[in-house]
Every structure is written in structure tokens, then in C-alpha cells.
Amino acid sequence: MKKNLLKGLTAVAMALTVGMPVFAQTAEQPYKGTTTADTWLRMNNKDKHGDKTTIEFRTNADVDFVGVMAFEFPAPDAGYAIEKATLRLVTERVKADRKVNLYEFISDFDEDGIYETYADDIAEAKAKTPIAQFSMEGQNTKSVALDNIDAEKYQNIAAWQNNVDITEYVKGLTTNKFGILIASATTTSQSNCFFTKEATGISNTKCTYFNDSKAEDLVPQLTITYSVLNAINDITVETKADGAVYNLAGQRVNNPQHGIYVKNGRKYIVK
């Protein structure tokens, strides 16, 4: 039994030494959920905040509108790890510059709050490096809910969905809750909008092909894929890069004869 175990560990060691894959993580059923809170905040206007199906954002010298969202997801159990995290935001309109920044934000904000309450938090968030920057999907200068969409490629709601990779940010969290701030990446005089968790579907009399879009197609969606960690992860093997020569059993060889050997992590053949 011990001999077989030793052989197995030796094989693992050699596989790692020569750069061969030992195992593949197994993806579990991904988690999919929407926001626990979302709203938009407008500077210098206490009556303008997000009690609607969309959030609006715009930044220029006179005004600042930002969107804020909060998420909560199942923390991985022991033996599991987060493999991938994707945030889907669906464009309601794109009438300004398409570039959007996502920043880390507090996760316990009040949906009925106003900009002034969170002015310091907003400034602090914008001073950091964005979690992600992306270009909004959707037909330029159009609202999927209000305007006549005149390009065939945009007559499918998938063409308005933004799928943003936030894996590295979520992996670095020490909790299973987080908040994000959505802001224009450039100064603009017009606003862009995303749908919120209150979205119930699209009713666009000018574009009847969108009337079948349901809430689940529009609301913000966080998707997290988890991995099952194989027990072999517990084995740590140092790559041999000391200039010495080893045979395929992991034994050091001073005078290699005919055969296959490993040196500095690479296999080579002596003829």
C-alpha cells in the first residue's frame, strides 16, 4: 500500500516537474442572482434618486449622476473556490459616450438615500482604480424601451446585454457581499441608463419585437461559478531547477546513459 502510494506521489511530482497537468477542477452549478439593492444618485437634487426601473449616470462640470448596486452571493464552502464571476448589466439607453467605469462601493447603502449622504463615499470610490471598464452594448443614441430600433442587429435583447468579467475582484473579497458604483468614464452632457432589479419587461410600441423581453432578460445578474478542489491540491512539489539530472522515477543520476531524463524541469533524451 505504501509502495503504491509512493509511486503515485512520485508520478505527481514528475508530472508537476515537467509541467504536465495533474487534474482539472470540476465546475459546479453556477449561482445566478440579481441585486439586493440598486438606485441612482444625483448631485444637488434631493428629489432625484432611483425609484424606477432604470439607473441613470452622467458626469460633467455641472452635475454628477451615479448608479449604485449591492450584491450578495453564497460563500464557497471548504474545499470549494470561486472560479469565475460575471456581472450582466443590460443597457436601457446609450446616448452618451459608451465607456463605463465600475468602482468598489459600500454594500449597505440606503436605496432611498440621496447623493449628499454618500458624497464622501462616492469621491472615495472614484479615487480608486476601477474594478472594470467596458463599452456599453446597444444601438447608439437609442433607448431599447422608447425608440425605433433601426438596425437589425439590435433587435435582439442580447445585443443590449453587457457581460463584465469581475472574477479577480470577487476572488479578492473577504466577505460574500459587495457594492459597486457605476459612472461615466468620460465627461458628457447626456445620460446612459441600465435596467435595475425592478425591471418587469419592455413595452415598446415602436418596436413590437421587444415586447416579449421578460424581467429575467433585463435585471442585473451576478453569475458565479464555483470549483471543487481536488485533494491533490494539498501536495506541494518543488520544481527541480538545480542543474542536476533525474530519471523518470525522480532519482538523481550522475552519469546518464541511454534514456529519457529531466533537467531543470525539462525532459531530454540521451541517445
Side-chain angles (χ1 to χ4, degrees):
M1 179 68 178
K2 290 183 179 180
K3 187 175 181 180
N4 291 337
L5 177 60
L6 180 60
K7 285 183 178 180
L9 292 176
T10 301
V12 170
M14 291 307 302
L16 291 175
T17 298
V18 298
M20 296 171 59
V22 179
F23 73 96
Q25 292 182 330
T26 304
E28 294 292 284
Q29 185 69 28
Y31 162 80
K32 293 186 178 182
T34 191
T35 58
T36 56
D38 52 34
T39 189
W40 62 283
L41 306 169
R42 175 174 176 171
M43 180 189 289
N44 300 326
N45 193 322
K46 296 183 179 182
D47 296 325
K48 294 291 185 181
H49 57 82
D51 54 356
K52 301 181 180 179
T53 59
T54 61
I55 60 167
E56 182 177 352
F57 52 100
R58 177 205 311 182
T59 299
N60 58 42
D62 300 318
V63 298
D64 187 30
F65 303 176
V66 296
V68 287
M69 293 182 172
F71 296 88
E72 183 174 353
F73 60 92
D77 295 330
Y80 289 76
I82 293 172
E83 183 175 282
K84 188 173 181 61
T86 304
L87 176 60
R88 185 194 73 186
L89 298 172
V90 183
T91 302
E92 189 273 342
R93 72 185 64 190
V94 53
K95 297 196 174 184
D97 187 283
R98 291 174 176 268
K99 287 186 179 179
V100 179
N101 283 342
L102 302 184
Y103 297 96
E104 183 178 41
F105 194 66
I106 57 175
S107 61
D108 57 351
F109 61 84
D110 181 359
E111 278 192 314
D112 295 322
I114 58 175
Y115 189 105
E116 283 74 9
T117 303
Y118 299 104
D120 290 341
D121 297 306
I122 293 169
E124 182 179 346
K126 286 188 173 185
K128 298 178 181 179
T129 300
I131 296 170
Q133 182 182 92
F134 62 98
S135 184
M136 292 177 70
E137 300 290 348
Q139 187 176 351
N140 194 37
T141 74
K142 299 292 185 178
S143 164
V144 69
L146 300 175
D147 298 327
N148 182 26
I149 309 305
D150 53 20
E152 184 176 352
K153 67 173 289 187
Y154 295 113
Q155 295 176 11
N156 187 317
I157 196 61
W160 299 75
Q161 293 175 342
N162 307 269
N163 294 293
V164 187
D165 187 342
I166 57 171
T167 303
E168 293 309 309
Y169 171 72
V170 174
K171 280 185 174 181
L173 293 172
T174 58
T175 177
N176 64 325
K177 298 179 181 180
F178 68 95
I180 63 167
L181 182 144
I182 302 171
S184 297
T186 58
T187 300
T188 176
S189 60
Q190 292 185 300
S191 298
N192 292 331
C193 295
F194 288 123
F195 285 102
T196 68
K197 69 179 186 301
E198 282 80 22
T200 57
I202 295 174
S203 178
N204 186 340
T205 57
K206 295 181 181 179
C207 298
T208 56
Y209 40 78
F210 276 126
N211 288 343
D212 291 332
S213 296
K214 309 300 184 195
E216 57 264 29
D217 300 323
L218 306 176
V219 298
Q221 180 174 279
L222 176 65
T223 301
I224 297 184
T225 302
Y226 300 90
S227 300
V228 178
L229 299 180
N230 193 303
I232 207 168
N233 280 343
D234 295 334
I235 301 172
T236 301
V237 181
E238 292 185 2
T239 299
K240 297 183 181 300
D242 54 5
V245 177
Y246 299 84
N247 61 25
L248 293 184
Q251 300 167 324
R252 185 164 180 162
V253 179
N254 294 323
N255 297 301
Q257 305 298 317
H258 300 294
I260 301 174
Y261 298 90
V262 177
K263 182 178 180 180
N264 293 335
R266 294 181 178 275
K267 290 191 291 188
Y268 74 98
I269 298 175
V270 176
K271 296 183 178 180

